[in-house]
Amino acid sequence: MVDAEFTLSMSVAHDHPSLAGHFPGNPVVPAVVILSTLFEAFARQQGGGVALEAFPRVKFLRPLRAGRGFEVRYQCSGEKVNFYGTQAGEPLLSGSMRVTPRDG
């Protein structure tokens, strides 16, 4: 993987299947959906040529409400990717993921 730094904007739609019954009337996006969303955005930016190995460290700093946009800054160094998420300029989450080139 090439060392790089970039920021991507994303959101989780109000009608995401995981939100049904998850705090009705005030849906909070489950952590696994947030992590999936940020990895999938990263993989698309990389042309789909990466596989997720692990999330060795993640810290959620506040809840994410469905339909609200957020930004994630990625800092790539080899197979380690640090990430920092914000929403409306406020810290949302931070952590790291380990990725490898996808076979094929």
Side-chain angles (χ1 to χ4, degrees):
M1 304 241 12
V2 176
D3 292 357
E5 185 173 328
F6 53 91
T7 300
L8 299 175
S9 297
M10 58 199 81
S11 67
V12 175
H14 285 288
D15 60 353
H16 190 282
S18 72
L19 300 176
H22 203 80
F23 302 106
N26 189 20
V28 174
V29 180
V32 68
V33 174
I34 297 170
L35 295 176
S36 176
T37 299
L38 73 86
F39 172 71
E40 289 169 6
F42 174 81
R44 277 192 306 274
Q45 196 278 339
Q46 297 293 306
V50 295
L52 176 64
E53 292 293 318
F55 282 104
R57 180 182 59 81
V58 178
K59 183 172 185 176
F60 294 92
L61 304 169
R62 59 187 234 176
L64 175 65
R65 305 283 188 243
R68 297 195 50 205
F70 63 104
E71 295 75 40
V72 178
R73 181 172 46 118
Y74 299 89
Q75 295 175 318
C76 310
S77 179
E79 293 181 348
K80 182 178 180 182
V81 180
N82 291 318
F83 54 85
Y84 308 90
T86 58
Q87 185 177 57
E90 296 292 323
L92 179 65
L93 77 155
S94 64
S96 64
M97 60 183 168
R98 196 170 56 245
V99 298
T100 57
R102 185 179 299 273
D103 293 336

